[in-house]
Every structure is written in structure tokens, then in C-alpha cells.
Amino acid sequence: EPHVVFGPGVSVGDGCVVHSFSHLEGATLAAGVQIGPYARLRPGAVLETGARIGNFVEVKNARMGAGAKANHLTYVGDAEVGAGANLGAGTITCNYDGVNKHRTTIGAGAFIGSNTALVAPVNVGAGAIVGAGSVIAADVPEDALAVSRARQRIVPGWAPDKRAALQAEKAARAKKP
């Protein structure tokens, strides 16, 4: 489609679709891959047959297995994603600790819920499910469920009192010369 940038070292297989405003450099796309719109494939991105990279997804030094999907708002860096795995919106692989890069491995058929951070080095087993909003810093076995988030707490009547206190603080600051 229009407004696609192909940098050096890009290989595109038969039947691929690269949607508008995507940027590819040093990437390999097998047959039937779909990219974008607004996707970025950086050097070392390898997408196997039928993989799908959606809008505002960035892939760097990572392999997406056959039929694997990262449909929107996701960063996949220094990773191996198995065939048929699904990465939900807002998933990121936290691959850099400030000094070294680490790898994330996601098994075939795994499902990663939206807004999940996978803190590398970490492995998510084949068929595992990671609950939305989780921070995963330990390996998840095959076919297991991993959830790491605090329980929701409801404090009735808290909001009006807090708003009143904040408004009083703001009014007091406004009175100071």
C-alpha cells in the first residue's frame, strides 16, 4: 500500500500485504504475512508464514512463528514467539536491563493478555495463558495460567472527599503571593 518504507535488507514472500505507513528494515517476511498499518519491523525481524503484525507494533530481533499475531500497540524485541501464539494489545517484551539484552520465549499457541509486560529473560510455555495486565518475571509452564496483578479494592465515598481536599489545597496555593 502507499507510504511504506522499505529499508535495506528486506525480503518479502509471496502473498504478503504491507499496509500503509509501515517501515521495514532488515526484516524477512515469509508467504502470506500481513503487516500494519503503521508497523515497524527492525533488523532481525523474521515473520513466518501467515504471521500478522498490526498497527503500531514494533518487532526487533525477534521471530514470529507461523500464524502468530501481535495485532496492535505491542513491542516484541529479542524474542521467539511460537506458531499460533497471540500477543494482546499493549504487550511488551522488557528485553533491556540497562546493560544487557535478554530474550523472551513464548510457546506455540500461548495467549498473552492485553497490557502485559514480559520481563526477560522469561519463558512462557506452549498453550499457556497470561492474564491481562500482568507483569511476568518468572517462567510460565505449558498450559498454565499466570496472573500477577493486585486485587481491585473499592473504597465507597472516597472520591468526593479527595476532590474536596485537592481543591482546598489548590485554593490555598492560589492565595499565596
Side-chain angles (χ1 to χ4, degrees):
E1 293 184 358
H3 309 293
V4 171
V5 175
F6 286 96
V10 175
S11 173
V12 179
D14 291 337
C16 291
V17 176
V18 181
H19 294 286
S20 297
F21 302 104
S22 295
H23 186 141
L24 293 72
E25 180 181 351
T28 302
L29 284 60
V33 166
Q34 293 186 48
I35 304 295
Y38 296 99
R40 182 162 184 221
L41 300 184
R42 292 172 54 195
V46 176
L47 281 64
E48 295 180 0
T49 303
R52 170 78 172 103
I53 299 299
N55 52 310
F56 303 105
V57 174
E58 181 174 357
V59 180
K60 189 241 353 148
N61 193 28
R63 177 179 297 274
M64 298 287 293
K69 298 183 286 189
N71 280 324
H72 37 268
L73 304 165
T74 296
Y75 172 71
V76 184
D78 296 300
E80 294 283 334
V81 179
N86 184 40
L87 309 183
T91 296
I92 60 171
T93 56
C94 307
N95 57 319
Y96 185 55
D97 64 10
V99 177
N100 298 300
K101 302 251 176 135
H102 301 280
R103 293 203 61 83
T104 297
T105 302
I106 300 167
F111 179 87
I112 311 299
S114 295
N115 199 33
T116 294
L118 301 167
V119 183
V122 70
N123 299 300
V124 176
I129 296 175
V130 175
S134 293
V135 176
I136 301 300
D139 290 350
V140 179
E142 284 188 13
D143 295 321
L145 167 66
V147 179
S148 78
R149 55 183 172 208
R151 288 201 179 264
Q152 182 171 315
R153 188 178 96 167
I154 305 293
V155 181
W158 184 89
D161 294 341
K162 183 62 175 178
R163 274 193 293 275
L166 291 171
Q167 290 169 347
E169 290 174 17
K170 183 177 181 180
R173 282 193 309 274
K175 290 181 181 179
K176 291 185 181 178

